[in-house]
Amino acid sequence: MTLSTETRRAGGAAPAAEMTLRLPYRPPYDWQAILGFLARRAIAGLERIDGEAYHRLFREAGAMGSVSVTHAPADTALHVTLRLPEPIDPSAIVARLQRLFDLHADPEAIRQGLGRDPTLAPLVERRPGLRVPGCWDPFEIAVRAILGQQVSVDAATRLAGRLVERLGERLAEPFAPGLDRLFPQPERFTFAEIKALGMPGARANALAGLASAYREQPQLFERCGELDDSVAQLCALLGIGAWTAHYIAMRGLREGDAFLPSDVAVQRALAEQGKRPTPRELLARAEVWRPWRAYAVMHLWHADAATTQAKARQG
């Protein structure tokens, strides 16, 4: 990480000190893929994709601020601008950004690991810099994973937007253009509040239970031993099954070996002569992908999306 030594006052309704950071990565880096993934899931008021930049509002150590991230390929880094009421130690924010943008990944090791599978090898060669998008906050991604159960990505994003609009703190004036809402704190996730959004009772119970467990166990979203241990801890929570637990592990806990054998898109991407593999068959096949199964999921999701788009254009 490189931190500028200069801070300045930024104009606007909520003036703030600006801090610039350089966060390096191992090339190549597929910025368009990660930006597109985040854009489809961006919550209005909390996040914004503006051209080639990602913007977000946050609260860290009691201070509210915004972050803007752009890609600087010539510098093999992401360039970050933080806007805060006053300068603070940025280390916690840097850790969040490194998790969100998967900056510790080793593309060459992933290429070698997944390249042993003849189906995955051409996908990896096509997108050698593909990352697994992480999250700003594990609790937030756990909430969004539950919202995404059995609905489309677009529907889940709309639900998340309604939840943030009702339960999240709204600023009197935007801190930055288009950013005026914070993700709600766990204390706001009561059954009554969530049910009022039109959520099914089971979903409202799961979200309220998740928030309650997190309040009681602040280390809930920290790695606990092996991947299976973390998954088992998450699956012990009401309304969280294997798919949801592995999704949280993949994006929230930075578990590069998390895997989704029951995911329909993954199964479609590996179908042979119209027959999709079963979860059991996928688990067996994926043994050779370890410890990079989460990256295999991302490649298969992209392959499935490309096939779906091609069929739509033809039809």
Side-chain angles (χ1 to χ4, degrees):
M1 176 189 75
T2 302
L3 168 66
S4 71
T5 56
E6 177 184 1
T7 60
R8 62 182 183 276
R9 302 300 293 178
E18 282 195 358
M19 182 183 300
T20 58
L21 309 170
R22 173 188 175 275
L23 303 184
Y25 59 76
R26 295 184 183 93
Y29 191 97
D30 195 336
W31 175 249
Q32 291 303 318
I34 203 165
L35 198 66
F37 187 96
L38 295 175
R40 193 176 176 193
R41 294 159 177 80
I43 298 175
L46 174 68
E47 303 167 289
R48 180 168 58 88
I49 307 297
D50 181 8
E52 294 293 307
Y54 171 83
H55 310 273
R56 183 193 167 98
L57 196 65
F58 65 85
R59 188 184 297 282
E60 185 69 42
M64 185 188 65
S66 70
V67 60
S68 298
V69 184
T70 57
H71 186 210
D75 199 21
T76 60
L78 301 185
H79 286 182
V80 177
T81 300
L82 293 176
R83 297 176 184 86
L84 297 151
E86 58 187 37
I88 65 171
D89 179 358
S91 56
I93 296 171
V94 167
R96 291 183 186 276
L97 290 169
Q98 289 171 331
R99 175 175 58 204
L100 176 60
F101 292 101
D102 197 12
L103 297 183
H104 292 311
D106 184 342
E108 179 58 23
I110 295 167
R111 185 189 68 80
Q112 292 183 14
L114 299 183
R116 295 191 294 266
D117 186 299
T119 300
L120 288 181
L123 302 182
V124 177
E125 292 301 322
R126 195 175 305 143
R127 290 183 175 275
L130 192 64
R131 297 302 207 264
V132 175
C135 68
W136 183 265
D137 176 75
F139 172 69
E140 179 180 320
I141 206 63
V143 169
R144 298 180 69 161
I146 292 174
L147 292 175
Q149 292 172 345
Q150 300 180 337
V151 300
S152 68
V153 172
D154 294 340
T157 300
R158 289 193 295 271
L159 286 172
R162 284 162 48 195
L163 185 144
V164 170
E165 183 177 3
R166 182 177 179 88
L167 304 184
E169 179 183 347
R170 182 169 188 172
L171 311 185
E173 297 180 340
F175 190 89
L179 301 178
D180 64 354
R181 293 183 186 277
L182 292 164
F183 196 82
Q185 295 295 307
E187 292 75 14
R188 296 300 313 276
F189 284 77
T190 65
F191 176 83
E193 287 276 19
I194 300 167
K195 192 72 170 63
L197 294 170
M199 298 277 183
R203 191 75 47 86
N205 266 324
L207 290 169
L210 172 73
S212 176
Y214 185 42
R215 292 195 302 270
E216 294 172 4
Q217 306 173 55
Q219 290 77 40
L220 179 64
F221 298 110
E222 295 180 7
R223 287 182 173 183
C224 55
E226 300 296 325
L227 170 63
D228 289 346
D229 298 324
S230 296
V231 167
Q233 178 172 275
L234 291 169
C235 284
L237 300 175
L238 180 69
I240 293 184
W243 187 97
T244 304
H246 273 269
Y247 186 84
I248 295 169
M250 182 171 74
R251 296 196 58 199
L253 308 185
R254 297 312 315 160
E255 289 283 2
D257 203 36
F259 189 48
L260 310 174
S262 64
D263 187 84
V264 173
V266 170
Q267 293 175 353
R268 275 198 309 254
L270 290 172
E272 296 180 359
Q273 298 180 339
K275 184 179 184 299
R276 300 177 190 173
T278 66
R280 183 186 296 273
E281 291 169 341
L282 272 178
L283 280 171
R285 178 172 180 175
E287 278 300 306
V288 72
W289 304 344
R290 288 183 178 272
W292 313 113
R293 294 186 303 178
Y295 293 88
V297 168
M298 291 305 303
H299 280 288
L300 293 167
W301 277 352
H302 277 276
D304 179 69
T307 300
T308 302
Q309 291 166 6
K311 289 180 178 178
R313 287 194 296 268
Q314 293 171 1

